[in-house]
mmCIF file of all heavy atoms in Angstrom:
data_model
loop_
_atom_site.group_PDB
_atom_site.id
_atom_site.type_symbol
_atom_site.label_atom_id
_atom_site.label_comp_id
_atom_site.label_asym_id
_atom_site.label_seq_id
_atom_site.Cartn_x
_atom_site.Cartn_y
_atom_site.Cartn_z
ATOM 1 N N PRO A 212 -1.293 57.570 -12.204
ATOM 2 C CA PRO A 212 -0.329 56.466 -12.150
ATOM 3 C C PRO A 212 1.061 56.866 -12.638
ATOM 4 O O PRO A 212 1.205 57.754 -13.468
ATOM 5 C CB PRO A 212 -0.943 55.430 -13.101
ATOM 6 C CG PRO A 212 -1.711 56.251 -14.095
ATOM 7 C CD PRO A 212 -2.233 57.430 -13.335
ATOM 8 N N PHE A 213 2.074 56.183 -12.079
ATOM 9 C CA PHE A 213 3.456 56.317 -12.506
ATOM 10 C C PHE A 213 3.921 54.958 -13.019
ATOM 11 O O PHE A 213 3.647 53.929 -12.401
ATOM 12 C CB PHE A 213 4.344 56.757 -11.343
ATOM 13 C CG PHE A 213 3.929 58.067 -10.735
ATOM 14 C CD1 PHE A 213 3.250 58.102 -9.528
ATOM 15 C CD2 PHE A 213 4.213 59.254 -11.374
ATOM 16 C CE1 PHE A 213 2.865 59.308 -8.959
ATOM 17 C CE2 PHE A 213 3.840 60.473 -10.813
ATOM 18 C CZ PHE A 213 3.156 60.497 -9.610
ATOM 19 N N GLU A 214 4.654 54.984 -14.121
ATOM 20 C CA GLU A 214 5.049 53.724 -14.746
ATOM 21 C C GLU A 214 6.293 53.123 -14.130
ATOM 22 O O GLU A 214 6.671 51.991 -14.454
ATOM 23 C CB GLU A 214 5.279 53.934 -16.248
ATOM 24 C CG GLU A 214 6.449 54.842 -16.587
ATOM 25 C CD GLU A 214 6.100 56.318 -16.580
ATOM 26 O OE1 GLU A 214 5.011 56.662 -16.074
ATOM 27 O OE2 GLU A 214 6.908 57.118 -17.074
ATOM 28 N N LEU A 215 6.956 53.833 -13.222
ATOM 29 C CA LEU A 215 8.237 53.386 -12.703
ATOM 30 C C LEU A 215 8.102 52.730 -11.338
ATOM 31 O O LEU A 215 7.198 53.054 -10.555
ATOM 32 C CB LEU A 215 9.203 54.569 -12.603
ATOM 33 C CG LEU A 215 9.506 55.295 -13.920
ATOM 34 C CD1 LEU A 215 10.383 56.498 -13.657
ATOM 35 C CD2 LEU A 215 10.164 54.354 -14.912
ATOM 36 N N SER A 216 9.052 51.856 -11.028
ATOM 37 C CA SER A 216 9.107 51.250 -9.700
ATOM 38 C C SER A 216 9.380 52.308 -8.658
ATOM 39 O O SER A 216 10.079 53.295 -8.911
ATOM 40 C CB SER A 216 10.206 50.180 -9.664
ATOM 41 O OG SER A 216 10.485 49.792 -8.328
ATOM 42 N N GLY A 217 8.883 52.102 -7.454
ATOM 43 C CA GLY A 217 9.103 53.045 -6.374
ATOM 44 C C GLY A 217 10.194 52.617 -5.421
ATOM 45 O O GLY A 217 10.244 53.097 -4.281
ATOM 46 N N SER A 218 11.094 51.750 -5.861
ATOM 47 C CA SER A 218 12.084 51.164 -4.957
ATOM 48 C C SER A 218 12.988 52.209 -4.327
ATOM 49 O O SER A 218 13.502 52.015 -3.231
ATOM 50 C CB SER A 218 12.916 50.116 -5.690
ATOM 51 O OG SER A 218 13.581 50.690 -6.804
ATOM 52 N N HIS A 219 13.217 53.334 -5.006
ATOM 53 C CA HIS A 219 14.127 54.348 -4.480
ATOM 54 C C HIS A 219 13.422 55.671 -4.222
ATOM 55 O O HIS A 219 14.065 56.714 -4.160
ATOM 56 C CB HIS A 219 15.294 54.566 -5.447
ATOM 57 C CG HIS A 219 16.154 53.350 -5.632
ATOM 58 N ND1 HIS A 219 16.890 52.805 -4.607
ATOM 59 C CD2 HIS A 219 16.365 52.567 -6.715
ATOM 60 C CE1 HIS A 219 17.533 51.739 -5.055
ATOM 61 N NE2 HIS A 219 17.220 51.566 -6.324
ATOM 62 N N THR A 220 12.119 55.624 -4.080
ATOM 63 C CA THR A 220 11.384 56.875 -3.932
ATOM 64 C C THR A 220 10.918 57.081 -2.495
ATOM 65 O O THR A 220 10.887 56.169 -1.684
ATOM 66 C CB THR A 220 10.154 56.903 -4.851
ATOM 67 O OG1 THR A 220 9.289 55.817 -4.481
ATOM 68 C CG2 THR A 220 10.551 56.764 -6.290
ATOM 69 N N VAL A 221 10.557 58.327 -2.220
ATOM 70 C CA VAL A 221 10.205 58.733 -0.875
ATOM 71 C C VAL A 221 8.866 59.442 -0.893
ATOM 72 O O VAL A 221 8.455 59.978 -1.926
ATOM 73 C CB VAL A 221 11.295 59.687 -0.310
ATOM 74 C CG1 VAL A 221 11.292 60.999 -1.077
ATOM 75 C CG2 VAL A 221 11.103 59.952 1.180
ATOM 76 N N SER A 222 8.163 59.416 0.205
ATOM 77 C CA SER A 222 7.070 60.361 0.423
ATOM 78 C C SER A 222 7.025 60.658 1.915
ATOM 79 O O SER A 222 7.359 59.810 2.739
ATOM 80 C CB SER A 222 5.725 59.808 -0.065
ATOM 81 O OG SER A 222 5.348 58.654 0.658
ATOM 82 N N ARG A 223 6.659 61.883 2.236
ATOM 83 C CA ARG A 223 6.635 62.322 3.630
ATOM 84 C C ARG A 223 5.294 62.958 3.950
ATOM 85 O O ARG A 223 4.591 63.486 3.072
ATOM 86 C CB ARG A 223 7.744 63.343 3.884
ATOM 87 C CG ARG A 223 9.155 62.798 3.735
ATOM 88 C CD ARG A 223 9.517 61.854 4.858
ATOM 89 N NE ARG A 223 10.922 61.440 4.772
ATOM 90 C CZ ARG A 223 11.489 60.575 5.600
ATOM 91 N NH1 ARG A 223 10.785 60.023 6.575
ATOM 92 N NH2 ARG A 223 12.761 60.251 5.451
ATOM 93 N N ILE A 224 4.956 62.914 5.247
ATOM 94 C CA ILE A 224 3.715 63.487 5.758
ATOM 95 C C ILE A 224 4.073 64.497 6.843
ATOM 96 O O ILE A 224 4.986 64.261 7.639
ATOM 97 C CB ILE A 224 2.807 62.396 6.368
ATOM 98 C CG1 ILE A 224 2.586 61.240 5.400
ATOM 99 C CG2 ILE A 224 1.471 62.986 6.818
ATOM 100 C CD1 ILE A 224 1.957 60.020 6.071
ATOM 101 N N GLU A 225 3.335 65.610 6.890
ATOM 102 C CA GLU A 225 3.515 66.563 7.981
ATOM 103 C C GLU A 225 2.212 67.320 8.205
ATOM 104 O O GLU A 225 1.425 67.515 7.264
ATOM 105 C CB GLU A 225 4.649 67.545 7.659
ATOM 106 C CG GLU A 225 4.978 68.556 8.754
ATOM 107 C CD GLU A 225 5.475 67.911 10.037
ATOM 108 O OE1 GLU A 225 4.632 67.283 10.731
ATOM 109 O OE2 GLU A 225 6.669 68.036 10.344
ATOM 110 N N PHE A 226 1.961 67.715 9.440
ATOM 111 C CA PHE A 226 0.840 68.575 9.789
ATOM 112 C C PHE A 226 1.371 69.946 10.171
ATOM 113 O O PHE A 226 2.453 70.065 10.767
ATOM 114 C CB PHE A 226 0.059 68.003 10.977
ATOM 115 C CG PHE A 226 -0.814 66.825 10.643
ATOM 116 C CD1 PHE A 226 -0.324 65.532 10.737
ATOM 117 C CD2 PHE A 226 -2.133 67.009 10.251
ATOM 118 C CE1 PHE A 226 -1.120 64.438 10.443
ATOM 119 C CE2 PHE A 226 -2.946 65.921 9.952
ATOM 120 C CZ PHE A 226 -2.433 64.628 10.056
ATOM 121 N N ASP A 227 0.602 71.000 9.856
ATOM 122 C CA ASP A 227 0.989 72.323 10.327
ATOM 123 C C ASP A 227 0.218 72.666 11.593
ATOM 124 O O ASP A 227 -0.542 71.845 12.131
ATOM 125 C CB ASP A 227 0.825 73.379 9.233
ATOM 126 C CG ASP A 227 -0.632 73.641 8.848
ATOM 127 O OD1 ASP A 227 -1.553 73.230 9.586
ATOM 128 O OD2 ASP A 227 -0.862 74.256 7.794
ATOM 129 N N ARG A 228 0.424 73.857 12.103
ATOM 130 C CA ARG A 228 -0.177 74.247 13.377
ATOM 131 C C ARG A 228 -1.684 74.403 13.297
ATOM 132 O O ARG A 228 -2.362 74.396 14.325
ATOM 133 C CB ARG A 228 0.460 75.555 13.855
ATOM 134 C CG ARG A 228 1.912 75.384 14.301
ATOM 135 C CD ARG A 228 2.518 76.709 14.716
ATOM 136 N NE ARG A 228 3.882 76.538 15.212
ATOM 137 C CZ ARG A 228 4.679 77.543 15.550
ATOM 138 N NH1 ARG A 228 4.247 78.801 15.436
ATOM 139 N NH2 ARG A 228 5.902 77.303 16.009
ATOM 140 N N GLU A 229 -2.224 74.556 12.093
ATOM 141 C CA GLU A 229 -3.666 74.678 11.923
ATOM 142 C C GLU A 229 -4.323 73.337 11.637
ATOM 143 O O GLU A 229 -5.530 73.275 11.432
ATOM 144 C CB GLU A 229 -3.968 75.670 10.794
ATOM 145 C CG GLU A 229 -3.485 77.085 11.100
ATOM 146 C CD GLU A 229 -3.764 78.021 9.948
ATOM 147 O OE1 GLU A 229 -3.521 77.637 8.781
ATOM 148 O OE2 GLU A 229 -4.244 79.138 10.207
ATOM 149 N N GLY A 230 -3.524 72.270 11.613
ATOM 150 C CA GLY A 230 -4.066 70.941 11.403
ATOM 151 C C GLY A 230 -4.170 70.514 9.960
ATOM 152 O O GLY A 230 -4.744 69.452 9.671
ATOM 153 N N TYR A 231 -3.630 71.317 9.020
ATOM 154 C CA TYR A 231 -3.618 70.896 7.626
ATOM 155 C C TYR A 231 -2.541 69.835 7.413
ATOM 156 O O TYR A 231 -1.495 69.847 8.057
ATOM 157 C CB TYR A 231 -3.384 72.092 6.702
ATOM 158 C CG TYR A 231 -4.546 73.058 6.677
ATOM 159 C CD1 TYR A 231 -4.444 74.316 7.253
ATOM 160 C CD2 TYR A 231 -5.752 72.707 6.075
ATOM 161 C CE1 TYR A 231 -5.508 75.205 7.241
ATOM 162 C CE2 TYR A 231 -6.826 73.577 6.058
ATOM 163 C CZ TYR A 231 -6.699 74.833 6.643
ATOM 164 O OH TYR A 231 -7.763 75.691 6.637
#
Side-chain angles (χ1 to χ4, degrees):
F213 301 103
E214 66 275 13
L215 300 176
S216 167
S218 59
H219 297 296
T220 61
V221 67
S222 63
R223 295 289 186 183
I224 308 167
E225 183 63 289
F226 285 91
D227 68 15
R228 290 178 177 175
E229 297 178 316
Y231 291 110

